[in-house]
């Protein structure tokens, strides 16, 4: 739903509540671009069980779908750069002094991801770009170039057909193991202007059409983070100083809309009150031993009992009790 307020000089976008609801007993996986990390961190802070980008940041849909499909590691994509080994399908945070060590780590990470995915109710996928780099040695799409010379790669734009085909292959595999799994897609609001202004719009347009067509499936839905950034906020004051990434204010605004879409009124109420506890935990008094602060701490410990009905608060309880005299 769109609301135009002439006095505020903006068009506010209110997404409709989704039939797919999330709560404190909903296990989620977020994967994809850095926006998945942003949403995942907010879910973690709200005590929603979530695994956040376990294989690092990945931007293009082909690479994301391949990681989720748990395909065997491509031996040709192990590369040595500056004395360290990397794999072209994985983020540069995964490296090893030798190929065997890296291979072992990657296989364990993929197994952990598969085990978690099979127990999850929702996977939240953020797509960043339709542009990909292909490794010239075997003409396959890579997730990360690891600062290898550009002549080793060919850049191209993915087609809608191949992106849809890759997802259908993924869904067929995953649904066999986890028939009730729901996919929530979004297009990252981060601007990939290194590709060019016009090229970025073309890339995002393809991703948006992809999400629309995939969402015709009852197990797939779309969250309009990109539209909120481009049409609702629509101002450079909502970007960080690089003019590429959404500002903290914009991230909080989109998170609020996320809650309106996927959380019940009760869940939102609990999260609001939990936010006050989190703020109290972050408070640093001048004198921790003062009577007023000790009273404040005891009050917070009592409040934790209410939240224990919804999620585990033992870590916060210990943190507060360690400050009591």
């Amino acid at each position: 739903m769109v609301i135009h307020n002439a006095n505020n000089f903006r068009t506010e976008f209110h997404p409709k509540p989704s039939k797919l609801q999330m709560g404190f007993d909903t296990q989620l996986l977020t994967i994809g671009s850095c926006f998945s990390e942003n949403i995942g961190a907010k879910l973690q802070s709200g005590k929603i069980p979530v695994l956040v980008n376990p294989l690092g940041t990945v931007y293009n849909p082909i690479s994301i779908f391949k990681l989720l499909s748990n395909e065997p590691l491509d031996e040709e994509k192990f590369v040595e750069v500056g004395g360290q080994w990397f794999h072209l399908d994985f983020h540069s945070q995964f490296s090893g002094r030798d190929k065997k060590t890296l291979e072992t780590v990657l296989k364990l990470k993929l197994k952990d991801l598969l085990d978690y995915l099979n127990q999850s109710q929702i996977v939240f996928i953020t797509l960043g770009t339709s542009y990909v780099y292909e490794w010239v040695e075997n003409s396959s799409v890579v997730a990360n170039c690891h600062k290898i010379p550009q002549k080793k790669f060919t850049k191209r734009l993915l087609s809608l057909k191949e992106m849809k085909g890759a997802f259908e292959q993924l869904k067929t595999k995953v649904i066999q193991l986890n028939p009730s799994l729901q996919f929530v897609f979004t297009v990252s609001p981060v601007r990939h202007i290194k590709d060019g202004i016009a090229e970025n719009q073309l890339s995002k347009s393809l991703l948006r059409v992809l999400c629309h067509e995939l969402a015709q499936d009852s197990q797939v839905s779309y969250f309009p983070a990109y539209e909120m950034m481009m049409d609702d906020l629509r101002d450079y004051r909502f970007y960080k100083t690089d003019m590429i990434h959404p500002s903290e204010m914009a991230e909080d605004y989109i998170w609020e809309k996320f809650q309106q879409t996927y959380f019940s009124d009760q869940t939102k109420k609990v999260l609001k009150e939990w936010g006050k506890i989190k703020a109290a935990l972050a408070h640093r008094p001048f004198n921790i031993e003062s009577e007023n602060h000790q009273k404040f701490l005891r009050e917070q410990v009592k409040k934790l009992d209410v939240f224990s009905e919804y999620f585990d608060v033992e870590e916060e309880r210990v943190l507060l009790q360690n400050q009591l005299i």
Side-chain angles (χ1 to χ4, degrees):
M1 181 171 62
V2 175
I3 297 177
H4 176 63
N5 188 329
N7 294 325
N8 288 337
F9 297 98
R10 61 181 285 230
T11 304
E12 189 171 355
F13 178 36
H14 293 284
K16 297 178 180 179
S18 173
K19 293 180 181 179
L20 180 64
Q21 293 291 288
M22 304 176 187
F24 302 110
D25 58 350
T26 305
Q27 182 165 304
L28 293 99
L29 167 71
T30 70
I31 191 168
S33 79
C34 51
F35 185 69
S36 276
E37 294 178 6
N38 177 266
I39 288 291
K42 291 184 182 301
L43 288 165
Q44 284 180 329
S45 180
K47 291 290 189 174
I48 307 292
V50 59
L51 181 63
V52 182
N53 260 8
L55 299 177
T57 307
V58 188
Y59 297 99
N60 78 79
I62 297 297
S63 294
I64 294 170
F65 300 158
K66 184 175 182 178
L67 292 175
L68 288 171
S69 295
N70 195 39
E71 294 182 11
L73 293 174
D74 188 336
E75 289 292 327
E76 295 182 7
K77 289 186 178 179
F78 282 98
V79 293
E80 186 179 10
V81 183
Q84 286 288 108
W85 282 85
F86 299 89
H87 194 286
L88 296 173
D89 285 336
F90 292 83
H91 192 272
S92 56
Q93 73 186 63
F94 299 105
S95 65
R97 288 179 292 180
D98 57 79
K99 177 184 172 182
K100 187 63 178 178
T101 299
L102 176 60
E103 183 177 9
T104 300
V105 169
L106 294 180
K107 286 182 177 179
L108 287 172
K109 286 291 182 181
L110 286 173
K111 183 182 183 302
D112 290 343
L113 172 61
L114 181 64
D115 291 343
Y116 190 90
L117 186 63
N118 289 341
Q119 300 299 319
S120 298
Q121 286 81 52
I122 300 169
V123 55
F124 182 82
I125 303 173
T126 303
L127 305 178
T129 181
S130 302
Y131 281 101
V132 294
Y133 288 88
E134 288 183 336
W135 182 234
V136 294
E137 291 191 11
N138 62 5
S139 300
S140 62
V141 173
V142 304
N144 197 302
C145 296
H146 302 297
K147 298 182 179 180
I148 295 171
Q150 191 170 354
K151 64 182 180 180
K152 298 287 187 179
F153 302 93
T154 301
K155 183 179 179 181
R156 71 175 179 89
L157 191 66
L158 293 170
S159 70
L160 182 62
K161 181 179 180 180
E162 64 184 315
M163 290 189 287
K164 287 180 64 178
F167 177 73
E168 290 305 322
Q169 291 179 9
L170 161 66
K171 185 171 180 289
T172 299
K173 287 184 177 181
V174 172
I175 294 304
Q176 290 178 349
L177 299 173
N178 188 350
S180 62
L181 184 67
Q182 290 284 329
F183 297 86
V184 177
F185 280 89
T186 192
V187 174
S188 171
V190 177
R191 305 166 68 220
H192 287 245
I193 59 174
K194 286 185 178 180
D195 293 324
I197 298 294
E199 290 79 3
N200 176 63
Q201 291 295 349
L202 173 62
S203 169
K204 298 289 190 184
S205 297
L206 274 170
L207 295 179
R208 184 62 189 91
V209 175
L210 172 67
C211 291
H212 171 74
E213 297 204 1
L214 295 182
Q216 305 311 304
D217 187 312
S218 62
Q219 287 183 260
V220 182
S221 57
Y222 177 72
F223 176 66
Y226 181 74
E227 289 79 357
M228 291 174 196
M229 194 72 207
M230 295 296 109
D231 289 298
D232 187 341
L233 300 180
R234 200 179 179 84
D235 193 302
Y236 278 112
R237 64 189 165 129
F238 295 114
Y239 285 89
K240 293 179 180 178
T241 54
D242 63 6
M243 300 300 171
I244 295 174
H245 293 84
S247 67
E248 184 177 346
M249 182 187 297
E251 291 172 349
D252 289 344
Y253 181 82
I254 295 173
W255 169 242
E256 181 183 339
K257 299 297 184 183
F258 186 94
Q259 293 183 72
Q260 292 174 11
T261 304
Y262 296 109
F263 295 161
S264 67
D265 289 342
Q266 177 62 19
T267 300
K268 286 185 287 186
K269 181 179 179 181
V270 172
L271 283 175
K272 183 177 180 180
E273 293 303 314
W274 180 244
K276 296 177 182 178
I277 294 290
K278 295 283 286 185
L281 289 170
H283 177 64
R284 294 292 179 266
F286 288 112
N287 181 7
I288 193 174
E289 298 180 1
S290 69
E291 183 179 345
N292 285 340
H293 184 65
Q294 288 294 307
K295 179 181 178 182
F296 171 78
L297 291 174
R298 288 191 292 271
E299 289 173 350
Q300 303 311 309
V301 171
K302 290 180 180 178
K303 289 179 181 179
L304 287 178
D305 293 334
V306 177
F307 293 101
S308 62
E309 178 183 345
Y310 301 97
F311 43 74
D312 182 15
V313 295
E314 190 57 30
E315 180 181 348
E316 290 77 15
R317 191 187 305 278
V318 170
L319 183 63
L320 287 170
Q321 289 178 337
N322 285 343
Q323 299 178 58
L324 288 170
I325 298 174

